[in-house]
Amino acid sequence: MFQRFLLILAVAAASLSPAAAATGTLRAGAARIEIVPPPEVFPALVHDPIYIRALVLESGKDRLILLSVDSPGLGRTDELLDTLSAEFKLPRDHIFMAATHDHSAPFMSLPGSYPYFDFVRARMVEAVRQASGRLKPAKIGFRTGKAYVNVNRDEKAGDHYILGFNPDGPSDKTVAVMTVSDSAGKPIAIYANYAVHGVVMFFSKTKDAQIEITGDLPGATSRLIEERLGGDVVALWTSGAAGDQNPVYTSARYTKERGLEDFGAGGWTLMEAQARRLGEEIVRVVGETGDFSASADIAVRTATLTCPGQKPAKANAPAEPGATPWGPTRVAMADADPVKIALTLAKVGDIALAGVGGELYTEIGMAVKARSPFERTMVVTHLPGNAGYIPSDRAFAMPSEKAMTASMKPGCADAAIPGMFETMGDELLAAARKEK
């Protein structure tokens, strides 16, 4: 096992992509563009708008584009990155794009012709164009808080685990907040990070017995921050290592006794209440951030981790005896093609954004932060990549419901991802020292 781990690290290290650091006065601009689909593109009921939020940071000759997209996940990312790279003359790895993992927004892409993708891509370009046009001298700060809005969802049910409620399971309550303000101290953008699924309203039928589009918990939280801070502040939400983290309250849920329960329109109260708790904590953290810097170098490293793959031994294979509608006991798995996990480490001054192209479990995210050479590190998930769930080895051993059918085998990602981010961080710090 240890030899295989060393081999994985060696292969991954060979794929590290360097980017030179450039130190200078920081400039920043931000924008928010609505991406509610027009009826002719995607007819649907809409409760509240969904957005692309963009933040552009510039230091010396280097730029970093940060994007937060109200979507279940990113799609056709090569096309998106190529478009943005060509339009703004920027390397692809300097485009740090993340989905909020909002389960109540349309998918960005589907097989075949899908007009919504073209609509979103055009709006994304416009958001970055507007943010770039608003660049001004800026300063940046970082601070963390706590919010008790998430809970581990791997609930033990008899001899197996289901997606439920497990208050004793691992759960990172940290709210990480990067605040970007102008030279006078007025906020330009808030880049916030918290480990929770955007599923308060998932499957909930709220109007005419139908599901409505909503920004869900991420969107409601961003909206509250923008309202409280006022002006043209743009609040970018990002999902932390939330592969096994749900909101404490959801509008629709399965119970063993009663099947599917749905609060319907009453779920909006649950969403707004949890968003208020989370958003108010972020606003508090912003107000207490005091160590701002007006200069920051920008640098990026990328890597690819390759893990052994697996798949169900039979298509649509039933679970072993003892399965219930609330989760199987075991699913027989067979070898499959290796799984590639895209990793990006973006450094802005002494702040590190550890990006993962997949749905990372919270224990791995906590290990990334613990081993990072940067004291100020946030873990951002749902970047470009198609790795799916990335469970911890503990979750595989349980086994948690999502670990049972994960596309990768245990014994790889749990140790390798924190180790690779540590290596990339050391390289970025060494490069920064060399520049000086």
Side-chain angles (χ1 to χ4, degrees):
M1 179 68 71
F2 182 67
Q3 289 179 331
R4 186 177 71 180
F5 173 60
L6 290 179
L7 177 61
I8 291 168
L9 284 183
V11 173
S15 69
L16 292 175
S17 172
T23 305
T25 300
L26 188 67
R27 298 205 308 153
R32 177 181 62 249
I33 294 285
E34 187 178 306
I35 54 170
V36 172
E40 66 273 15
V41 170
F42 188 98
L45 296 175
V46 180
H47 178 267
D48 55 90
I50 54 176
Y51 294 94
I52 289 171
R53 291 174 168 91
L55 170 61
V56 177
L57 299 175
E58 181 182 86
S59 176
K61 296 181 180 179
D62 214 344
R63 280 191 179 187
L64 180 67
I65 294 174
L66 301 172
L67 289 163
S68 171
V69 187
D70 284 334
S71 174
L74 302 175
R76 294 168 63 176
T77 50
D78 282 337
E79 295 176 61
L80 293 175
L81 291 171
D82 285 345
T83 297
L84 293 170
S85 176
E87 183 73 24
F88 299 103
K89 308 297 188 291
L90 199 64
R92 282 173 41 134
D93 61 5
H94 278 56
I95 302 167
F96 199 89
M97 179 193 311
T100 62
H101 203 41
D102 170 15
H103 284 48
S104 296
F107 284 104
M108 286 180 58
S109 64
L110 290 173
S113 177
Y114 189 53
Y116 186 59
F117 173 80
D118 295 324
F119 173 80
V120 170
R121 177 167 54 179
R123 304 293 276 176
M124 188 176 290
V125 170
E126 180 59 24
V128 176
R129 182 178 293 118
Q130 289 187 18
S132 299
R134 296 170 184 169
L135 284 169
K136 64 175 72 173
K139 51 188 181 179
I140 192 167
F142 182 93
R143 193 175 178 89
T144 62
K146 295 279 187 184
Y148 294 83
V149 174
N150 62 351
V151 66
N152 190 287
R153 67 184 191 177
D154 289 328
E155 178 181 348
K156 189 166 178 50
D159 60 352
H160 62 284
Y161 287 80
I162 63 172
L163 295 186
F165 185 87
N166 179 14
D168 297 321
S171 186
D172 189 352
K173 308 302 182 184
T174 305
V175 181
V177 184
M178 183 172 72
T179 300
V180 181
S181 66
D182 63 19
S183 54
K186 180 181 178 182
I188 295 171
I190 310 301
Y191 193 86
N193 178 261
Y194 187 70
V196 68
H197 266 76
V199 294
V200 175
M201 302 307 297
F202 188 39
F203 279 137
S204 187
K205 297 179 179 179
T206 52
K207 187 175 182 180
D208 300 333
Q210 296 186 55
I211 295 169
E212 295 180 81
I213 288 176
T214 171
D216 209 279
L217 181 57
T221 302
S222 290
R223 186 168 62 248
L224 183 143
I225 297 166
E226 290 164 350
E227 290 172 354
R228 294 291 173 88
L229 296 179
D232 296 322
V233 174
V234 177
L236 291 82
W237 162 278
T238 61
S239 178
D244 54 352
Q245 305 295 304
N246 262 8
V248 172
Y249 298 106
T250 57
S251 183
R253 64 174 186 148
Y254 280 97
T255 67
K256 203 168 186 180
E257 298 76 21
R258 295 177 296 277
L260 178 64
E261 289 185 329
D262 185 0
F263 284 9
W268 300 121
T269 301
L270 297 175
M271 184 186 81
E272 295 294 341
Q274 292 175 99
R276 185 172 68 177
R277 179 77 288 275
L278 184 53
E280 286 179 346
E281 176 64 0
I282 293 169
V283 171
R284 184 193 68 79
V285 169
V286 170
E288 294 185 0
T289 303
D291 53 347
F292 285 88
S293 175
S295 63
D297 63 294
I298 292 173
V300 180
R301 286 289 189 280
T302 62
T304 299
L305 170 63
T306 301
C307 288
Q310 62 178 8
K311 63 182 179 181
K314 297 180 181 178
N316 301 316
E320 293 180 2
T324 75
W326 300 277
T329 52
R330 295 273 182 177
V331 174
M333 302 297 283
D335 291 343
D337 292 337
V339 177
K340 296 184 182 298
I341 305 173
L343 307 177
T344 301
L345 187 64
K347 171 185 180 296
V348 184
D350 63 352
I351 302 168
L353 309 180
V356 182
E359 201 159 345
L360 198 65
Y361 269 45
T362 204
E363 288 172 288
I364 305 178
M366 293 169 75
V368 169
K369 291 189 285 186
R371 293 184 58 177
S372 173
F374 294 91
E375 183 178 349
R376 302 174 171 195
T377 298
M378 66 171 71
V379 176
V380 183
T381 58
H382 299 286
L383 270 70
N386 194 28
Y389 281 99
I390 308 174
S392 64
D393 286 346
R394 184 193 65 83
F396 275 113
M398 291 164 60
S400 82
E401 182 176 332
K402 293 301 182 182
M404 275 187 287
T405 54
S407 60
M408 66 201 65
K409 293 183 178 181
C412 175
D414 198 320
I417 289 177
M420 290 176 64
F421 274 122
E422 183 179 18
T423 299
M424 288 191 283
D426 287 339
E427 290 188 356
L428 287 176
L429 288 173
R433 287 192 293 268
K434 187 175 180 181
E435 286 288 322
K436 294 179 179 179

